[in-house]
Structures are given as structure tokens and as C-alpha cells.
Amino acid sequence: MVRLKNSHLHIDASVVRTAFGNDPQVSLVYYPDRQTLLVAGKSKAFFEKMHKTDWVVLKDRNLLGDKTILLREILIDHDLDDTDRELTYDLKTTGILSVHL
């Protein structure tokens, strides 16, 4: 499950393991025309070559392995709804997490 809570993207451990493996950092980019946030583990060098990305550290949420990413800046910059909610997402076979904001 992926959800927005207190301007943080909360990602369940099962999604984290599949998408990012042991990467402690991720690259991300937001596309306003598609209202889509793309997130990939820092080890996915091709992702950074294909997109103009920023990188952030995955923060530990709990001992189960859930992680969070602060999205406040993206939410403010693009005037997005910051209401706490579950988000629609798709995990690509390439290891890219696509989240609809």
C-alpha cells in the first residue's frame, strides 16, 4: 500500500523491497501533466538519465521496513491536494514506482 499522510509518502515494506531493494536513497520526479510521481532506487542509473530527478533518503517509518518520503515541497509547488489518503500506484517491472497524486 502507498498513501499520503502528513505530506509524507508512506510506502509499505513489501513495496519498498520489490521496488528499491536495499537502496537507502531514491530518485524522484513529478510530472504535473500526468499528476504522476515516479520513484526509483538510486541504483537505477538509467532512471536518472531518462528524467530530470531529485534524490532523497528513504526514511524508516517502523521496524517492519515501511519507509517514508517527504513530499511537502512537491505538494506546495504544484498546488496538490495534501489530504491524507491511499494513493493509486503501479510498480513497473523495471522497479519504478509510479504514484498518482
Side-chain angles (χ1 to χ4, degrees):
M1 178 183 300
V2 176
R3 60 197 158 285
L4 187 65
K5 185 172 181 185
N6 296 328
S7 299
H8 286 79
L9 186 67
H10 287 230
I11 309 167
D12 284 352
S14 60
V15 177
V16 169
R17 280 189 303 273
T18 304
F20 313 128
N22 293 322
D23 281 338
Q25 301 168 337
V26 292
S27 299
L28 55 86
V29 61
Y30 178 71
Y31 287 106
D33 56 326
R34 298 184 284 181
Q35 296 180 322
T36 301
L37 178 73
L38 299 178
V39 187
K42 192 76 168 138
S43 65
K44 307 260 190 293
F46 71 90
F47 184 76
E48 290 187 27
K49 291 179 183 177
M50 292 174 51
H51 307 277
K52 185 180 178 196
T53 64
D54 293 314
W55 67 268
V56 297
V57 174
L58 283 171
K59 304 269 182 167
D60 291 335
R61 168 103 173 102
N62 55 37
L63 295 175
L64 300 174
D66 297 345
K67 303 286 185 180
T68 63
I69 300 170
L70 179 63
L71 295 183
R72 188 76 190 140
E73 186 175 328
I74 290 172
L75 297 172
I76 291 171
D77 288 350
H78 298 283
D79 195 28
L80 298 173
D81 178 9
D82 64 355
T83 305
D84 293 353
R85 63 190 186 278
E86 287 187 26
L87 298 171
T88 305
Y89 71 95
D90 182 33
L91 183 54
K92 311 290 185 188
T93 57
T94 56
I96 296 172
L97 180 64
S98 174
V99 180
H100 186 266
L101 295 176

